């Protein structure tokens, strides 16, 4: 003979377990990579975009957060004002450009274009732009470009399986 209270207890136990599983699934990090990019030199910037593109091949969502000198790497030379501070200009050593051509590697501009086409999101730190003397209108045209504060980076990291800083 089956006791009704046992069935009710089991039903309640299953409901409670389903709620707990749902809560765990909602709290679990997404299949997402957050890249904090802090250096604006060509090697770090190219490396960050190469990693971002590599992650997209695994269907991983990618958020890049540019801050401090890295914001200079997003300046569009055709838009940049002549009076922009030297600190805001990204360096591109000629020997790196030579090696890229020698090995048929993508230049930075192409890496950025591909990242935009693949849905890599870029967020630029508002304070860093101010510190570097860079205006929003001086930046590259990018389909997923946003502007925010460091709290956004913290939020991105809290929802990502992986967080890297370069």
């Amino acid at each position: 003979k089956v006791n009704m209270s046992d069935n009710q207890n089991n039903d309640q136990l299953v409901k409670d377990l389903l709620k707990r599983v749902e809560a765990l699934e909602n709290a679990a990090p997404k299949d997402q990579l957050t890249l904090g990019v802090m250096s604006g030199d060509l090697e770090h910037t190219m490396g960050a975009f190469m990693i971002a593109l590599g992650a997209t091949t695994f269907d991983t969502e990618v958020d890049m957060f540019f801050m401090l000198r890295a914001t200079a790497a997003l300046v569009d030379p055709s838009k940049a004002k002549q009076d922009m501070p030297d600190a805001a200009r990204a360096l591109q050593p000629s020997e790196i450009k030579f090696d890229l051509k020698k090995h048929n590697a993508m230049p930075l501009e192409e890496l950025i274009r591909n990242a935009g086409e693949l849905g890599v999101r870029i967020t630029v730190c508002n304070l860093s732009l101010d510190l570097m003397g860079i205006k929003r209108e001086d930046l590259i045209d990018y389909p997923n470009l946003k502007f925010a504060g460091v709290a956004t980076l913290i939020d991105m990291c809290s929802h990502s399986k992986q967080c890297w800083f370069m």
Side-chain angles (χ1 to χ4, degrees), residues 21-29 159:
V21 167
E22 183 180 354
L24 287 170
E25 287 175 343
N26 289 336
H159 294 96

Side-chain angles (χ1 to χ4, degrees), residues 87-104:
R89 300 183 189 281
L91 300 175
Q92 298 190 4
S94 59
E95 63 272 6
I96 293 176
K97 285 183 178 181
F98 173 78
D99 285 345
L100 293 174
K101 287 181 181 181
K102 179 179 174 183
H103 298 285
N104 294 320

Side-chain angles (χ1 to χ4, degrees), residues 81-141:
K81 310 272 187 293
Q82 294 300 327
D83 60 346
M84 185 177 293
D86 287 339
R89 300 183 189 281
L91 300 175
Q92 298 190 4
S94 59
E95 63 272 6
I96 293 176
K97 285 183 178 181
F98 173 78
D99 285 345
L100 293 174
K101 287 181 181 181
K102 179 179 174 183
H103 298 285
N104 294 320
M106 283 187 258
L108 179 60
E109 297 78 16
E110 192 173 339
L111 291 169
I112 293 171
R113 185 175 54 255
N114 288 346
E117 290 171 1
L118 292 171
V120 172
R121 296 176 296 264
I122 293 179
T123 303
V124 181
C125 176
N126 286 317
L127 177 59
S128 295
L129 286 176
D130 291 343
L131 290 172
M132 297 298 295
I134 300 172
K135 305 279 186 243
R136 289 182 180 192
E137 57 269 15
D138 293 334
L139 298 180
I140 59 171
D141 294 323

